[in-house]
Coordinates of all heavy atoms in Angstrom, one line a residue:
Chain A
E162 N 106.8 127.6 92.1 CA 106.3 128.1 90.9 C 105.2 129.1 91.1 O 104.1 128.9 91.2 CB 105.7 126.9 90.0 CG 106.8 125.8 89.8 CD 106.6 125.0 88.6 OE1 105.5 124.8 88.2 OE2 107.7 124.6 88.0
T164 N 104.5 132.1 89.4 CA 104.5 133.0 88.3 C 103.1 133.5 87.9 O 102.9 134.0 86.8 CB 105.2 132.4 87.0 OG1 104.5 131.2 86.7 CG2 106.6 132.1 87.4
R167 N 98.1 136.8 89.5 CA 96.7 137.2 89.2 C 95.7 136.2 89.7 O 95.0 136.4 90.6 CB 96.5 137.6 87.8 CG 95.1 138.2 87.4 CD 95.0 138.6 86.0 NE 95.6 137.6 85.1 CZ 95.8 137.7 83.8 NH1 95.4 138.8 83.2 NH2 96.3 136.8 83.1
K169 N 96.2 132.6 90.2 CA 96.7 131.7 91.3 C 97.8 132.3 92.1 O 98.9 131.8 92.2 CB 97.1 130.3 90.7 CG 96.0 129.5 90.2 CD 96.4 128.1 90.0 CE 95.1 127.2 89.6 NZ 95.5 125.9 89.1
Q223 N 91.9 136.2 71.7 CA 91.9 134.7 72.1 C 90.9 133.9 71.2 O 91.2 132.8 70.8 CB 91.5 134.5 73.5 CG 92.7 134.0 74.3 CD 92.3 133.8 75.8 OE1 92.1 132.7 76.2 NE2 92.3 134.9 76.6
G261 N 96.5 141.3 78.3 CA 95.6 140.5 77.4 C 95.7 140.8 75.9 O 95.0 140.1 75.1
R285 N 102.6 135.9 79.1 CA 101.5 136.8 79.0 C 101.7 138.0 79.9 O 102.6 138.1 80.7 CB 100.2 136.1 79.3 CG 99.7 135.9 80.7 CD 100.6 135.5 81.7 NE 99.9 134.8 82.8 CZ 100.5 134.1 83.7 NH1 101.9 133.9 83.7 NH2 99.9 133.4 84.6
L306 N 104.1 131.5 81.6 CA 103.1 130.5 81.9 C 103.8 129.3 82.4 O 105.0 129.1 82.2 CB 102.2 130.2 80.7 CG 101.0 131.0 80.3 CD1 100.2 131.5 81.5 CD2 101.3 132.2 79.4
Y307 N 103.0 128.4 82.9 CA 103.6 127.1 83.4 C 104.6 126.4 82.5 O 105.7 126.1 82.8 CB 102.5 126.2 83.8 CG 103.0 124.8 84.2 CD1 103.5 124.6 85.4 CD2 103.0 123.7 83.3 CE1 104.0 123.3 85.8 CE2 103.4 122.5 83.6 CZ 103.9 122.2 84.9 OH 104.4 121.0 85.2
E328 N 97.6 115.3 85.1 CA 97.0 116.4 84.4 C 98.1 117.1 83.6 O 97.8 118.0 82.7 CB 96.4 117.4 85.4 CG 97.4 118.1 86.4 CD 97.6 117.3 87.6 OE1 97.4 116.1 87.7 OE2 98.1 118.0 88.6
L408 N 100.9 102.6 96.5 CA 100.2 103.1 95.3 C 101.1 103.1 94.0 O 100.7 102.9 92.9 CB 99.7 104.5 95.5 CG 98.7 104.7 96.6 CD1 98.3 106.2 96.7 CD2 97.4 103.9 96.4
D414 N 94.0 107.4 89.0 CA 93.7 108.0 90.3 C 93.5 106.9 91.3 O 93.0 105.8 91.0 CB 92.4 108.9 90.2 CG 92.6 110.1 89.3 OD1 93.8 110.3 88.9 OD2 91.7 110.7 88.9
S424 N 95.4 101.7 109.2 CA 96.1 100.4 109.4 C 97.6 100.5 109.3 O 98.3 100.0 110.1 CB 95.5 99.3 108.4 OG 96.5 98.3 108.2
K428 N 100.3 100.4 112.8 CA 101.5 99.6 112.9 C 102.7 100.5 113.4 O 103.6 100.0 114.1 CB 101.9 98.9 111.6 CG 101.0 97.8 111.3 CD 101.3 97.2 109.9 CE 100.5 95.9 109.6 NZ 99.0 96.2 109.5
D431 N 101.5 101.9 117.3 CA 101.2 100.9 118.3 C 102.4 100.7 119.3 O 102.3 100.5 120.5 CB 100.8 99.6 117.7 CG 100.4 98.6 118.7 OD1 99.7 99.0 119.7 OD2 100.7 97.4 118.6
R436 N 99.6 103.4 127.1 CA 98.2 103.0 127.4 C 97.7 103.7 128.6 O 98.4 103.8 129.6 CB 98.2 101.5 127.6 CG 98.1 100.6 126.3 CD 99.1 100.8 125.3 NE 99.0 99.8 124.3 CZ 99.5 99.8 123.1 NH1 100.3 100.8 122.8 NH2 99.3 98.8 122.2
R493 N 77.0 94.1 128.7 CA 77.5 93.0 127.8 C 77.8 91.8 128.7 O 77.5 90.7 128.3 CB 78.7 93.4 127.0 CG 79.2 92.3 126.1 CD 79.9 92.8 124.9 NE 80.3 94.2 124.9 CZ 81.4 94.6 125.5 NH1 82.2 93.7 126.1 NH2 81.7 95.9 125.5
R501 N 86.9 90.7 135.0 CA 88.1 91.2 135.5 C 88.2 92.7 135.4 O 88.1 93.3 134.3 CB 89.3 90.6 134.8 CG 90.7 91.1 135.2 CD 91.1 90.6 136.5 NE 92.5 91.1 136.8 CZ 93.0 90.9 138.1 NH1 92.4 90.3 139.0 NH2 94.3 91.4 138.3
G504 N 93.9 94.7 136.2 CA 95.0 95.1 137.2 C 94.5 95.1 138.6 O 95.3 95.3 139.5
R529 N 90.9 84.0 133.7 CA 91.2 83.5 132.4 C 90.0 83.4 131.6 O 89.0 82.8 132.0 CB 91.9 82.1 132.5 CG 93.3 82.1 132.2 CD 94.0 80.8 132.5 NE 95.4 80.8 132.1 CZ 95.8 80.6 130.9 NH1 95.0 80.3 129.9 NH2 97.1 80.6 130.7
Q573 N 97.2 105.3 123.7 CA 96.0 104.4 123.3 C 95.2 104.3 124.5 O 95.6 104.0 125.6 CB 96.5 103.0 122.9 CG 95.4 102.2 122.4 CD 95.7 100.7 122.4 OE1 95.6 100.1 123.5 NE2 96.0 100.2 121.3
R576 N 91.5 99.3 125.1 CA 90.3 98.7 124.6 C 89.5 99.7 123.7 O 88.4 99.3 123.3 CB 89.4 98.1 125.7 CG 90.2 97.2 126.6 CD 89.2 96.2 127.3 NE 88.2 96.9 128.0 CZ 86.9 96.6 127.9 NH1 86.5 95.6 127.1 NH2 86.0 97.2 128.5
Chain B
rU242 P 90.4 112.3 68.3 OP1 91.0 111.8 67.0 OP2 89.4 111.4 69.0 O5' 91.5 112.7 69.3 C5' 92.5 113.6 68.8 C4' 93.5 113.9 70.0 O4' 92.8 114.7 71.0 C3' 93.9 112.6 70.7 O3' 94.9 111.9 70.0 C2' 94.3 113.1 72.0 O2' 95.6 113.7 72.0 C1' 93.3 114.3 72.3 N1 92.2 113.8 73.1 C2 92.3 113.8 74.4 O2 93.3 114.2 75.0 N3 91.2 113.4 75.1 C4 90.0 113.0 74.6 O4 89.1 112.7 75.3 C5 89.9 113.0 73.2 C6 91.0 113.4 72.5
rC244 P 97.8 106.9 74.9 OP1 99.1 106.4 74.6 OP2 96.6 106.5 74.2 O5' 97.5 106.6 76.5 C5' 98.3 107.2 77.5 C4' 97.7 107.1 78.8 O4' 96.5 108.0 78.9 C3' 97.1 105.8 79.1 O3' 98.1 104.9 79.5 C2' 96.1 106.1 80.3 O2' 96.8 106.4 81.5 C1' 95.6 107.4 79.8 N1 94.3 107.3 79.0 C2 93.1 107.1 79.8 O2 93.2 107.2 81.1 N3 91.9 106.9 79.2 C4 91.9 106.9 77.8 N4 90.7 106.7 77.2 C5 93.1 107.0 77.0 C6 94.2 107.2 77.7
rG245 P 97.8 103.3 79.7 OP1 99.0 102.6 79.7 OP2 96.7 102.9 78.8 O5' 97.3 103.3 81.2 C5' 96.5 102.2 81.6 C4' 95.5 102.7 82.7 O4' 94.8 103.8 82.2 C3' 94.5 101.6 83.0 O3' 95.0 100.7 84.0 C2' 93.3 102.5 83.5 O2' 93.5 102.8 84.8 C1' 93.5 103.7 82.6 N9 92.7 103.6 81.3 C8 93.2 103.7 80.0 N7 92.2 103.7 79.1 C5 91.0 103.5 79.9 C6 89.7 103.3 79.4 O6 89.3 103.3 78.3 N1 88.8 103.1 80.5 C2 89.2 103.1 81.8 N2 88.2 102.9 82.7 N3 90.4 103.2 82.3 C4 91.3 103.4 81.2
rG251 P 89.7 101.2 94.6 OP1 89.5 102.4 93.9 OP2 89.4 99.9 93.9 O5' 91.2 101.1 95.1 C5' 91.7 102.1 95.8 C4' 93.1 101.8 96.3 O4' 93.0 100.7 97.3 C3' 94.0 101.2 95.2 O3' 94.5 102.2 94.4 C2' 95.0 100.5 96.1 O2' 96.0 101.5 96.6 C1' 94.2 99.9 97.2 N9 93.8 98.5 96.9 C8 92.7 98.1 96.2 N7 92.7 96.8 96.0 C5 93.9 96.4 96.6 C6 94.5 95.1 96.7 O6 94.0 94.0 96.3 N1 95.7 95.1 97.3 C2 96.3 96.2 97.8 N2 97.5 96.0 98.3 N3 95.8 97.4 97.7 C4 94.6 97.4 97.1
rU252 P 95.1 101.8 93.0 OP1 95.5 103.0 92.3 OP2 94.2 100.8 92.3 O5' 96.4 101.0 93.5 C5' 97.2 100.2 92.6 C4' 98.1 99.4 93.4 O4' 97.3 98.6 94.4 C3' 98.8 98.3 92.6 O3' 100.0 98.8 92.0 C2' 99.1 97.2 93.7 O2' 100.2 97.5 94.4 C1' 97.8 97.3 94.5 N1 96.7 96.4 94.1 C2 96.9 95.1 94.2 O2 97.9 94.6 94.7 N3 95.9 94.3 93.8 C4 94.7 94.7 93.2 O4 93.9 93.9 92.9 C5 94.6 96.1 93.1 C6 95.6 96.9 93.5
rA253 P 100.4 98.2 90.6 OP1 101.7 99.0 90.3 OP2 99.3 98.2 89.7 O5' 100.9 96.7 91.0 C5' 101.9 96.5 91.9 C4' 102.3 95.0 92.0 O4' 101.3 94.3 92.6 C3' 102.5 94.3 90.6 O3' 103.8 94.6 90.1 C2' 102.5 92.9 91.1 O2' 103.7 92.4 91.6 C1' 101.4 92.9 92.2 N9 100.1 92.4 91.8 C8 99.0 93.1 91.4 N7 98.0 92.3 91.1 C5 98.5 91.1 91.2 C6 97.9 89.8 90.9 N6 96.7 89.6 90.5 N1 98.7 88.7 91.1 C2 100.0 88.9 91.5 N3 100.6 90.0 91.7 C4 99.8 91.1 91.6
rU267 P 97.3 94.1 106.8 OP1 97.8 94.6 108.1 OP2 96.9 92.7 106.6 O5' 96.0 95.0 106.4 C5' 96.0 96.4 106.5 C4' 94.7 96.9 105.9 O4' 94.6 96.7 104.5 C3' 93.4 96.3 106.5 O3' 93.1 96.9 107.8 C2' 92.4 96.7 105.4 O2' 92.0 98.0 105.5 C1' 93.3 96.5 104.1 N1 93.1 95.1 103.6 C2 92.0 94.9 102.9 O2 91.2 95.7 102.6 N3 91.9 93.6 102.4 C4 92.7 92.5 102.7 O4 92.5 91.4 102.2 C5 93.9 92.9 103.5 C6 94.0 94.1 103.9
rA268 P 92.3 96.0 108.8 OP1 92.2 96.8 110.1 OP2 92.8 94.6 108.8 O5' 90.8 95.9 108.2 C5' 90.0 97.1 108.1 C4' 88.8 96.8 107.3 O4' 89.2 96.4 105.9 C3' 87.9 95.6 107.7 O3' 87.0 96.0 108.7 C2' 87.2 95.3 106.4 O2' 86.1 96.2 106.1 C1' 88.3 95.5 105.4 N9 89.0 94.2 105.2 C8 90.3 93.9 105.7 N7 90.6 92.6 105.3 C5 89.5 92.2 104.6 C6 89.3 90.9 104.0 N6 90.1 89.9 104.0 N1 88.1 90.8 103.4 C2 87.2 91.8 103.3 N3 87.4 93.0 103.9 C4 88.5 93.1 104.5
rU275 P 96.9 82.8 128.3 OP1 97.4 81.5 128.8 OP2 95.4 82.9 128.1 O5' 97.4 84.0 129.2 C5' 98.5 84.7 128.8 C4' 98.2 86.2 129.1 O4' 97.1 86.6 128.2 C3' 97.7 86.4 130.5 O3' 98.9 86.7 131.2 C2' 96.8 87.6 130.4 O2' 97.4 88.8 130.7 C1' 96.4 87.6 128.8 N1 95.0 87.5 128.5 C2 94.2 88.6 128.5 O2 94.6 89.7 129.0 N3 92.9 88.5 128.1 C4 92.4 87.3 127.5 O4 91.2 87.4 127.1 C5 93.2 86.2 127.5 C6 94.5 86.3 127.9
rU277 P 100.5 91.6 131.2 OP1 101.0 91.4 129.9 OP2 101.0 92.9 131.9 O5' 99.0 91.6 131.3 C5' 98.3 90.9 130.2 C4' 96.8 91.2 130.5 O4' 96.5 90.9 131.9 C3' 96.5 92.7 130.3 O3' 96.0 93.1 129.0 C2' 95.5 93.0 131.4 O2' 94.1 93.0 130.8 C1' 95.6 91.8 132.3 N1 95.8 92.1 133.8 C2 94.8 92.0 134.6 O2 93.7 91.6 134.2 N3 95.1 92.2 135.9 C4 96.3 92.7 136.4 O4 96.4 92.9 137.6 C5 97.3 92.9 135.5 C6 97.1 92.6 134.2
rC278 P 95.8 92.1 127.8 OP1 95.1 90.8 128.1 OP2 97.0 92.0 127.0 O5' 94.7 92.9 126.9 C5' 93.5 93.1 127.5 C4' 92.8 94.2 126.7 O4' 93.6 95.4 126.8 C3' 92.7 93.9 125.2 O3' 91.5 93.2 125.0 C2' 92.5 95.3 124.6 O2' 91.3 95.8 124.8 C1' 93.5 96.1 125.6 N1 94.9 96.2 125.0 C2 95.1 97.2 124.0 O2 94.2 97.9 123.6 N3 96.4 97.3 123.5 C4 97.3 96.5 124.0 N4 98.6 96.7 123.5 C5 97.1 95.5 125.0 C6 95.9 95.4 125.4
rG279 P 91.6 92.0 124.0 OP1 90.9 90.9 124.7 OP2 92.9 91.8 123.4 O5' 90.6 92.5 122.8 C5' 91.2 93.3 121.8 C4' 90.1 93.6 120.8 O4' 88.9 93.8 121.5 C3' 90.4 94.9 120.0 O3' 90.7 94.4 118.7 C2' 89.1 95.7 120.0 O2' 88.4 95.6 118.8 C1' 88.3 95.0 121.0 N9 87.9 95.8 122.3 C8 88.6 96.5 123.1 N7 88.0 97.0 124.1 C5 86.7 96.5 123.9 C6 85.5 96.6 124.7 O6 85.4 97.2 125.7 N1 84.4 96.0 124.1 C2 84.5 95.3 122.9 N2 83.4 94.7 122.5 N3 85.6 95.1 122.2 C4 86.6 95.7 122.8
rA280 P 91.6 94.7 117.7 OP1 91.1 95.5 116.6 OP2 92.1 93.3 117.5 O5' 92.8 95.5 118.5 C5' 93.1 96.9 118.0 C4' 94.5 97.2 118.4 O4' 94.7 97.0 119.8 C3' 95.5 96.1 117.8 O3' 95.9 96.5 116.5 C2' 96.7 96.3 118.8 O2' 97.4 97.4 118.6 C1' 95.9 96.4 120.1 N9 95.6 95.1 120.6 C8 94.4 94.4 120.8 N7 94.5 93.2 121.3 C5 95.8 93.0 121.5 C6 96.6 91.9 122.0 N6 96.0 90.8 122.4 N1 97.9 92.1 122.1 C2 98.4 93.2 121.6 N3 97.9 94.3 121.1 C4 96.5 94.1 121.1
rG281 P 96.2 95.4 115.4 OP1 96.9 96.1 114.3 OP2 95.0 94.7 115.2 O5' 97.2 94.4 116.2 C5' 98.6 94.8 116.4 C4' 99.3 93.7 117.2 O4' 98.6 93.5 118.4 C3' 99.3 92.4 116.4 O3' 100.4 92.3 115.6 C2' 99.5 91.4 117.6 O2' 100.8 91.3 118.1 C1' 98.6 92.1 118.7 N9 97.2 91.6 118.6 C8 96.1 92.4 118.3 N7 95.0 91.7 118.4 C5 95.4 90.4 118.8 C6 94.5 89.3 119.1 O6 93.3 89.2 119.0 N1 95.3 88.2 119.5 C2 96.7 88.3 119.6 N2 97.2 87.1 120.0 N3 97.4 89.3 119.4 C4 96.7 90.4 119.0
rG311 P 84.7 110.0 85.8 OP1 84.1 110.8 86.9 OP2 84.1 110.2 84.4 O5' 86.3 110.3 85.7 C5' 87.1 110.1 86.9 C4' 88.5 110.2 86.5 O4' 88.8 109.2 85.5 C3' 88.9 111.5 85.8 O3' 89.2 112.5 86.8 C2' 90.2 111.0 85.2 O2' 91.3 110.9 86.1 C1' 89.9 109.6 84.7 N9 89.3 109.7 83.3 C8 88.0 109.5 82.9 N7 87.9 109.6 81.6 C5 89.1 109.8 81.1 C6 89.6 109.9 79.8 O6 89.0 109.9 78.8 N1 91.0 110.1 79.7 C2 91.8 110.2 80.8 N2 93.1 110.4 80.6 N3 91.4 110.0 82.1 C4 90.1 109.8 82.2
rA312 P 89.0 114.0 86.3 OP1 89.0 114.8 87.5 OP2 87.8 114.1 85.4 O5' 90.3 114.2 85.4 C5' 91.6 114.2 86.1 C4' 92.6 114.4 85.0 O4' 92.5 113.3 84.1 C3' 92.5 115.6 84.1 O3' 92.9 116.8 84.7 C2' 93.3 115.2 82.9 O2' 94.7 115.3 83.1 C1' 92.9 113.7 82.8 N9 91.7 113.5 81.9 C8 90.4 113.3 82.3 N7 89.6 113.2 81.2 C5 90.4 113.3 80.1 C6 90.2 113.3 78.7 N6 89.0 113.1 78.2 N1 91.2 113.4 77.9 C2 92.5 113.6 78.4 N3 92.8 113.7 79.7 C4 91.7 113.5 80.5
rG313 P 92.3 118.2 84.3 OP1 92.8 119.1 85.2 OP2 90.8 118.0 84.2 O5' 92.8 118.4 82.8 C5' 94.2 118.6 82.6 C4' 94.5 118.6 81.1 O4' 94.1 117.4 80.6 C3' 93.7 119.6 80.3 O3' 94.2 120.9 80.4 C2' 93.8 119.1 78.9 O2' 95.1 119.3 78.4 C1' 93.6 117.6 79.2 N9 92.2 117.2 79.1 C8 91.3 117.0 80.1 N7 90.1 116.6 79.7 C5 90.2 116.6 78.3 C6 89.3 116.3 77.3 O6 88.1 116.0 77.4 N1 89.9 116.5 76.0 C2 91.1 116.8 75.8 N2 91.5 116.9 74.5 N3 92.0 117.1 76.7 C4 91.5 116.9 78.0
rC314 P 93.3 122.2 80.2 OP1 94.1 123.3 80.4 OP2 92.1 122.0 81.1 O5' 92.8 122.1 78.7 C5' 93.7 122.4 77.7 C4' 93.1 122.2 76.3 O4' 92.6 120.9 76.2 C3' 91.8 123.1 76.1 O3' 92.1 124.4 75.8 C2' 91.2 122.3 75.0 O2' 91.8 122.6 73.8 C1' 91.4 120.9 75.4 N1 90.3 120.3 76.1 C2 89.2 119.8 75.4 O2 89.3 119.8 74.2 N3 88.1 119.4 76.1 C4 88.1 119.4 77.4 N4 87.0 118.9 78.0 C5 89.2 119.9 78.2 C6 90.3 120.3 77.5
rA315 P 91.3 125.6 76.4 OP1 90.8 125.2 77.7 OP2 90.4 126.1 75.3 O5' 92.5 126.6 76.4 C5' 93.2 126.7 77.5 C4' 93.3 128.2 78.0 O4' 92.4 128.3 79.1 C3' 94.7 128.5 78.4 O3' 95.3 129.5 77.6 C2' 94.6 128.7 79.9 O2' 95.1 129.9 80.3 C1' 93.1 128.6 80.2 N9 92.8 127.7 81.3 C8 92.5 126.3 81.2 N7 92.3 125.7 82.3 C5 92.3 126.7 83.2 C6 92.2 126.8 84.6 N6 91.8 125.7 85.3 N1 92.3 128.0 85.2 C2 92.6 129.0 84.5 N3 92.8 129.1 83.2 C4 92.7 127.9 82.6
rC316 P 94.7 130.6 76.8 OP1 93.4 131.0 77.5 OP2 94.7 130.6 75.4 O5' 95.8 131.7 77.2 C5' 96.9 131.3 78.0 C4' 97.4 132.5 78.8 O4' 97.5 133.6 77.9 C3' 96.2 132.9 79.7 O3' 96.6 132.4 81.0 C2' 96.0 134.4 79.5 O2' 96.4 135.2 80.6 C1' 96.9 134.7 78.3 N1 96.3 135.4 77.2 C2 96.5 136.8 77.0 O2 97.2 137.4 77.9 N3 96.0 137.4 76.0 C4 95.3 136.8 75.1 N4 94.9 137.4 74.0 C5 95.0 135.4 75.2 C6 95.5 134.7 76.3
rC317 P 96.6 133.1 82.4 OP1 95.7 134.2 82.6 OP2 98.1 133.3 82.5 O5' 96.3 131.9 83.3 C5' 97.2 130.8 83.4 C4' 97.1 130.3 84.8 O4' 95.9 129.4 84.8 C3' 98.2 129.4 85.2 O3' 99.2 130.2 85.7 C2' 97.6 128.6 86.3 O2' 97.5 129.4 87.5 C1' 96.1 128.4 85.8 N1 95.9 127.1 85.1 C2 95.6 126.0 86.0 O2 95.4 126.2 87.2 N3 95.4 124.8 85.4 C4 95.5 124.6 84.1 N4 95.3 123.4 83.5 C5 95.9 125.7 83.2 C6 96.1 126.9 83.8
rA318 P 100.7 129.8 85.4 OP1 101.6 131.0 85.9 OP2 100.9 129.3 84.1 O5' 101.0 128.6 86.4 C5' 101.0 128.8 87.8 C4' 100.8 127.5 88.5 O4' 99.6 126.9 88.0 C3' 101.9 126.5 88.1 O3' 103.0 126.6 89.0 C2' 101.2 125.1 88.3 O2' 101.1 124.8 89.7 C1' 99.8 125.5 87.8 N9 99.6 125.2 86.4 C8 99.9 125.9 85.3 N7 99.6 125.3 84.2 C5 99.0 124.2 84.5 C6 98.4 123.1 83.8 N6 98.4 123.1 82.5 N1 97.9 122.1 84.5 C2 98.0 122.1 85.8 N3 98.5 123.0 86.6 C4 99.0 124.0 85.9

Side-chain angles (χ1 to χ4, degrees):
Chain A
E162 305 205 326
T164 59
R167 185 176 45 184
K169 287 197 176 169
Q223 247 182 102
R285 80 321 204 163
L306 272 325
Y307 172 80
E328 66 271 22
L408 299 177
D414 294 348
S424 156
K428 287 180 174 60
D431 184 39
R436 271 59 171 165
R493 177 152 21 80
R501 172 75 177 171
R529 254 173 177 277
Q573 189 199 77
R576 305 205 306 131

